[in-house]
Amino acid sequence: AHLPNAVNIDVRESDFTRNVARLDPKRPLLVYCLAGSRSAKAAEALTRAGFERIYDMQGGFAKWSGSGLPVEEGAQPPK
């Protein structure tokens, strides 16, 4: 599952840098993972890649979904 309208790019995958290059570094990004450790790594990598506004969701997807906030099922491939 994922947040509505999210584009999932996994920081652990070999194509992370290529997929990130498709994003606009001037637009704000919200990064998240299940609990927070991978999103912190992704936020660091995005900062090094020149992204200006990165927001790391504290508590991750587990906290979001556990709070009853909206989620969508299935993977959303990178655009």
Side-chain angles (χ1 to χ4, degrees):
H2 56 88
L3 297 184
N5 301 310
V7 175
N8 291 335
I9 301 175
D10 190 336
V11 69
R12 299 172 300 177
E13 296 295 325
S14 61
D15 60 353
F16 175 78
T17 302
R18 184 185 53 170
N19 287 327
V20 164
R22 298 177 185 166
L23 303 174
D24 181 353
K26 300 221 181 291
R27 291 189 67 188
L29 292 177
L30 171 68
V31 295
Y32 68 93
C33 63
L34 184 60
S37 62
R38 284 174 288 149
S39 63
K41 290 179 185 178
E44 288 176 23
L46 290 164
T47 298
R48 287 191 305 273
F51 285 80
E52 299 172 358
R53 293 183 292 165
I54 304 160
Y55 302 92
D56 188 357
M57 187 168 71
Q58 300 301 304
F61 186 78
K63 185 174 180 181
W64 177 275
S65 61
S67 297
L69 295 167
V71 299
E72 291 181 354
E73 296 299 321
Q76 179 75 9
K79 295 178 182 179

